[in-house]
Amino acid sequence: MAIQVRPAVAAPAAPPARLYRVFPWVVFALTFGLLLSDYMSRQVLSAVFPFLKQEWGLTDTQLGSLTSIVALTVGVLAVPLSLVGDRWGRVRAIVVMAVVWSLATLGCALAAGYGHLLLARLMIGVGEAAYGSVGLAVVLAVFSARRRASLTGAFMAAGSFGSVLGVALGGVLAVQFGWRWAFAVMGIFGLVLAGLYWGVITERRLTAHKVDDAPGAGPALAAGHRRARLTTLFSTPAVVFAYLGGGVQLFIAGSLFAWLPSYFNRAHGLAPDSAAKVAALFILIMGAGMIVCGMITDRAGRSRPVSKWTTAIAFAAVTLVFLGAAFAVQPGGPQMLLLAVGCFFAAGTTGPTGAMVAGLTHESIRATAFGTLTFFNSVLGLAAGPVITGILADRVGLQTAMRYVPLAAVVAVVLLFLGRRAYPASIRRLEPAATTGTTDGGPA
């Protein structure tokens, strides 16, 4: 009796090398695109400030609150929703968040008054709360650790570029078709991108392209443990100072995002659409600075990781000098040049602080770590900046209020300097702090 030998079943072919090189950049591009939509939805409001002030008679404090409510909501919900993203699935969380903020932006277009608009803006914050943290965790998971500051700066620069598009396009749409259409277009754009993301990015593909941390690039886990403990989010002084220093520095960026269009409208006498375009140019400069500062930080930190702190301190100090000088002089050519240099470095600490947090926390809870960073960025910076500046503007005028904004960099420099001093000891404590257990109290 002849024995039939079945042909061996070939194992599934591995994806070609080219796909491994291309897919991470597809992830970056789509995740970057959604962050563009995130900030377009958030910052389009700044372009329509003059229209809302005229139509509804809102005060500067009320206008500032419409901006700050988003950042405040993001700050409050960033950590719990980032934790949900780590557990529930990052891709699924990203798509749901994008749909929520896009629908809420459409709701802004239908608002009948200040209260309705405030509620819709709050829902935008709910949708956006964990996007920056979960999205950044997705991006960093498919690239090597040596690119962390560059990728963090480039990814977060989408906030500036999205603000540019939101303010510039929003100003044009508001003038041509009315301020409600400015919100409507942003909402539709977000829904389209969310559908594209859902169709292209999956958890399985992300897992196949995941790049594990190299030794020394982040905390390790003990054998048999799948997740780090949540207490490791605050286990070292250095990571706490990174949270605080980065957050305080973004007080300046938050104020610039919200008030530059109105500043050019009032101080320079520009029409609302022209003021929005000029403000968009400076916000674009800020985004370019985030990318360049991230690249500088990665290069400086290759041989001496502590140099990442040094670059962050330098960026904050330059911001203080140039923006302080810009808002102290009369409107004109010299002011615009000083303002351009100050804006270039204003958010330059974003890449360094993101890289520090990534290096001081484990990948299994990295979205939650970035959510914690987002909390401080939002509460101390992006939420506090617009509303505090608005309160000051109601009392002393917007031009005078803007002179106080760069002083936040003084506090940021101090916090980052303390973080730099604490960094060597924090690195020595890193391994024991990360390997004592899991978030569930035992092996997962």
Side-chain angles (χ1 to χ4, degrees):
M1 179 177 177
I3 299 177
Q4 294 182 342
V5 179
R6 294 183 179 180
V9 178
R18 184 175 62 84
L19 181 59
Y20 277 108
R21 293 193 299 268
V22 171
F23 184 75
W25 291 107
V26 173
V27 173
F28 177 84
L30 289 177
T31 313
F32 181 93
L34 273 178
L35 192 60
L36 280 178
S37 168
D38 178 328
Y39 274 81
M40 288 170 68
S41 294
R42 184 187 299 201
Q43 296 302 140
V44 65
L45 177 72
S46 299
V48 303
F49 271 1
F51 300 92
L52 295 176
K53 193 175 184 68
Q54 180 179 8
E55 183 173 333
W56 289 348
L58 302 184
T59 65
D60 285 342
T61 300
Q62 288 176 311
L63 293 174
S65 69
L66 289 171
T67 295
S68 293
I69 189 65
V70 178
L72 184 61
T73 305
V74 168
V76 171
L77 297 179
V79 175
L81 292 185
S82 296
L83 183 59
V84 170
D86 274 333
R87 298 291 189 273
W88 188 45
R90 292 171 181 172
V91 173
R92 186 183 296 113
I94 282 173
V95 173
V96 170
M97 286 185 285
V99 170
V100 170
W101 85 57
S102 298
L103 291 177
T105 305
L106 290 175
C108 291
L110 303 175
Y114 171 75
H116 291 167
L117 186 56
L118 187 68
L119 178 60
R121 295 286 293 175
L122 184 146
M123 290 306 300
I124 289 176
V126 172
E128 295 179 355
Y131 181 74
S133 53
V134 177
L136 183 56
V138 167
V139 168
L140 294 189
V142 294
F143 288 94
S144 64
R146 62 186 175 85
R147 293 177 169 175
R148 279 176 178 163
S150 299
L151 286 169
T152 301
F155 176 71
M156 298 308 292
S160 292
F161 298 144
S163 297
V164 168
L165 292 172
V167 171
L169 182 59
V172 173
L173 290 170
V175 169
Q176 297 296 324
F177 305 104
W179 62 266
R180 296 181 187 277
W181 273 104
F183 287 109
V185 170
M186 305 305 164
I188 293 170
F189 178 65
L191 290 174
V192 171
L193 278 181
L196 183 61
Y197 200 97
W198 180 251
V200 175
I201 309 298
T202 66
E203 295 288 349
R204 183 175 180 179
R205 290 174 183 170
L206 288 177
T207 301
H209 291 81
K210 182 180 176 182
V211 178
D212 293 325
D213 285 345
L221 292 179
H225 292 82
R226 187 165 55 88
R227 295 187 187 278
R229 296 182 63 181
L230 291 180
T231 53
T232 61
L233 296 172
F234 297 94
S235 61
T236 61
V239 76
V240 174
F241 284 123
Y243 294 143
L244 293 173
V248 170
Q249 179 66 15
L250 287 185
F251 179 98
I252 299 172
S255 297
L256 295 174
F257 282 158
W259 289 107
L260 271 183
S262 294
Y263 179 82
F264 289 124
N265 173 242
R266 301 182 197 180
H268 291 251
L270 298 179
D273 55 341
S274 297
K277 292 176 183 177
V278 175
L281 175 61
F282 284 94
I283 296 171
L284 182 64
I285 291 172
M286 191 187 305
M290 293 170 70
I291 297 173
V292 174
C293 290
M295 295 172 65
I296 292 172
T297 299
D298 273 337
R299 180 172 291 274
R302 284 179 183 175
S303 57
R304 297 186 70 243
V306 74
S307 297
K308 295 178 181 179
W309 293 90
T310 305
T311 59
I313 293 168
F315 300 150
V318 173
T319 302
L320 171 65
V321 172
F322 281 88
L323 283 185
F327 290 119
V329 301
Q330 292 299 314
Q335 184 198 48
M336 301 296 266
L337 179 59
L338 291 168
L339 192 60
V341 177
C343 285
F344 186 86
F345 291 99
T349 57
T350 303
T353 53
M356 294 166 200
V357 170
L360 292 164
T361 56
H362 189 264
E363 201 282 329
S364 62
I365 57 168
R366 195 156 288 157
T368 309
F370 289 139
T372 306
L373 179 61
T374 299
F375 169 81
F376 288 100
N377 287 348
S378 298
V379 173
L380 298 179
L382 300 178
V387 71
I388 291 176
T389 303
I391 292 171
L392 287 172
D394 277 334
R395 296 183 178 181
V396 299
L398 183 58
Q399 287 180 261
T400 302
M402 294 299 281
R403 295 176 184 174
Y404 294 101
V405 170
L407 295 178
V410 175
V411 181
V413 166
V414 172
L415 291 168
L416 292 169
F417 177 76
L418 293 174
R420 188 186 187 283
R421 291 191 62 183
Y423 182 72
S426 294
I427 288 295
R428 289 193 293 270
R429 292 173 54 184
L430 196 60
E431 189 79 14
T435 59
T436 53
T438 68
T439 53
D440 299 322

